[in-house]
Amino acid sequence: MRAAQHAQQDTRLETLASYHVLDTEAEADFDDIVALASKICDAPISLISLVDKDRQWFKARQGFDEPETTLDKSVCSHAILEEGVFEITDMAADARTADNPLHTAPDGVKFYAGANLIAPNGMPLGTLCVLDTEPRALTDFQKQALATLSRQVMMQMELRKKIRAEENLRAEMDHRVKNSLQTIASMTRLAARDVKDEAALDMLELVNRRIEAVASLHSELMGNDGDTTIDITSYFERLRSFVTAVTPENIAIHFDAQGDTLQAHMASAIGMIVSEFVANSVKHAFPDGRSGQVAISLRNDGAGLRVLECSDNGVGLGAQDRASAEPAGLGKMLMQSAALQLDGDVQFEVGSDGARMTVQFAA
């Protein structure tokens, strides 16, 4: 006998669909639960059965080959209409199951017990069930264990639903942040077209560099599953990409990073220092299209410290703009501020072979 529809069938089916579990791959967490249910209940067959509109589909199964069946073979569709552990000790003696093809088949099943999978809104989605080829009954302990394991199934489904919702939220946040950063960068570039004052232009360029550095860090963090540490190699590759994009072709940029991870606040500070050093080199170290290179490295010194070194092989002390031996203005202030975030000191020197800046900080 095919079961009647649930009294709140539409709501029940909407709830089931919200878990996005139907037709997904097998997962060890669910496989372990059916294995344990079979062991505790001493039953050869155990299923996590989800009752859909026209079928029952098995998220996990033991002792049963088919991944799904039609509802005319479903005992679980009867079980979801009842409360508590639903048990049929002899399927031949129950009108609901006497003609069930799973029972009437050669070597068919004779016994069924199922505990409903209840969503937080009270809707039964299916069952954790056990079946046997002989009539029998579960003990009180086995019934209690089956009900407990059914709640574990729902906990696993709820966990995956929440993780999926968080991933969707993070993706939406990522999209909005990227759009906002791109909008701000576009506005500053447009504003710079009509600005003649050198100081104002420097300020707008600085803002754009900070936007790019923040965007690089944001992208790295969003791809890191919420962890506040980031991969050094991956982050330095992002830094290299954005500074190379705004560097003239006559200047080569070289990056070399050692180590595994960085705290996000350290990465942010390093990004600021690197972007400002490169900008300073581009502006002052290679006049008249002179070729050269800027090298950025991060290494461990072997004594518990990390060393960030930025250098160029530009004109050095041979250029009037570099006679002060230090970068000036807002760029210098930003690098000093970033060094304070690292709890380190900036050492800047300019010689005949170019400029070099070193920051030592705790690993």
Side-chain angles (χ1 to χ4, degrees):
M1 177 189 301
R2 183 164 176 158
Q5 282 191 358
H6 189 272
Q8 295 178 269
Q9 179 75 337
D10 289 344
T11 301
R12 192 188 71 79
L13 291 176
E14 287 175 4
T15 304
L16 175 58
S18 72
Y19 286 89
H20 297 281
V21 65
L22 293 172
D23 301 309
T24 56
E25 296 294 328
E27 296 179 68
D29 290 336
F30 296 104
D31 292 340
D32 289 345
I33 290 175
V34 295
L36 185 57
S38 279
K39 187 71 173 178
I40 291 174
C41 297
D42 193 24
I45 301 170
S46 180
L47 305 166
I48 294 175
S49 174
L50 300 170
V51 181
D52 201 5
K53 182 180 180 180
D54 300 311
R55 61 172 178 159
Q56 62 177 359
W57 178 81
F58 308 126
K59 176 58 182 173
R61 61 191 191 274
Q62 178 161 306
F64 198 84
D65 293 333
E66 299 178 58
E68 64 178 56
T69 74
T70 56
L71 291 185
D72 64 316
K73 295 182 179 181
S74 173
V75 186
C76 299
S77 57
H78 291 283
I80 64 172
L81 304 178
E82 308 293 335
E83 294 184 359
V85 175
F86 178 74
E87 185 179 45
I88 298 180
T89 58
D90 184 356
M91 292 175 64
D94 193 302
R96 293 168 294 188
T97 56
D99 63 349
N100 189 299
L102 294 182
H103 167 65
T104 59
D107 300 323
V109 293
K110 307 289 194 298
F111 163 80
Y112 173 94
N116 282 336
L117 307 175
I118 306 296
N121 65 354
M123 292 295 103
L125 308 182
T127 73
L128 170 64
C129 62
V130 291
L131 301 94
D132 207 337
T133 55
E134 297 296 334
R136 50 170 294 199
L138 295 183
T139 66
D140 289 342
F141 168 74
Q142 288 171 330
K143 289 180 181 179
Q144 181 180 357
L146 195 64
T148 299
L149 289 174
S150 73
R151 291 192 290 272
Q152 291 300 313
V153 173
M154 279 309 308
M155 287 178 62
Q156 290 293 332
M157 289 174 60
E158 278 291 312
L159 176 62
R160 284 156 176 76
K161 185 177 183 179
K162 290 178 179 177
I163 290 173
R164 191 163 48 250
E166 290 177 0
E167 289 174 346
N168 290 337
L169 178 60
R170 290 181 66 219
E172 177 63 20
M173 290 171 58
D174 184 29
H175 177 70
R176 293 193 179 194
V177 170
K178 284 181 177 178
N179 281 349
S180 297
L181 291 173
Q182 289 171 357
T183 299
I184 295 170
S186 296
M187 290 174 63
T188 56
R189 283 193 293 269
L190 286 172
R193 293 178 182 178
D194 299 323
V195 173
K196 306 302 181 184
D197 182 78
E198 285 294 326
L201 281 172
D202 285 345
M203 174 65 78
L204 290 172
E205 289 175 2
L206 183 147
V207 169
N208 259 325
R209 290 195 297 273
R210 291 301 300 131
I211 291 171
E212 294 290 353
V214 169
S216 295
L217 179 60
H218 167 77
S219 295
E220 192 66 32
L221 287 172
M222 289 304 294
N224 211 25
D225 295 328
D227 194 352
T228 56
T229 61
I230 65 172
D231 179 78
I232 290 176
T233 302
S234 177
Y235 179 58
F236 262 58
E237 178 59 27
R238 291 184 187 274
L239 284 178
R240 187 198 64 77
S241 295
F242 99 73
V243 297
T244 300
V246 295
T247 301
E249 293 183 359
N250 58 297
I251 304 172
I253 307 292
H254 300 284
F255 274 77
D256 180 33
Q258 298 176 4
D260 298 321
T261 60
L262 276 173
Q263 293 294 322
H265 74 279
M266 289 184 172
S268 177
I270 288 172
M272 185 185 301
I273 291 171
V274 169
S275 64
E276 290 310 307
F277 182 89
V278 173
N280 189 69
S281 294
V282 169
K283 187 173 183 179
H284 300 293
F286 306 101
D288 303 320
R290 171 174 171 166
S291 297
Q293 64 182 21
V294 178
I296 310 295
S297 70
L298 179 66
R299 67 180 189 277
N300 297 320
D301 73 347
L305 294 176
R306 280 181 168 146
V307 180
L308 173 66
E309 185 175 273
C310 307
S311 64
D312 67 50
N313 64 347
V315 295
L317 288 178
Q320 183 177 354
D321 286 337
R322 291 201 143 192
S324 64
E326 287 191 359
L330 288 170
K332 176 183 178 181
M333 291 173 59
L334 281 175
M335 286 191 282
Q336 289 175 332
S337 173
L340 287 175
Q341 294 177 41
L342 294 171
D343 196 22
D345 294 321
V346 176
Q347 301 296 325
F348 193 92
E349 60 186 40
V350 179
S352 59
D353 57 349
R356 176 176 287 100
M357 180 182 64
T358 304
V359 184
Q360 285 189 333
F361 58 98

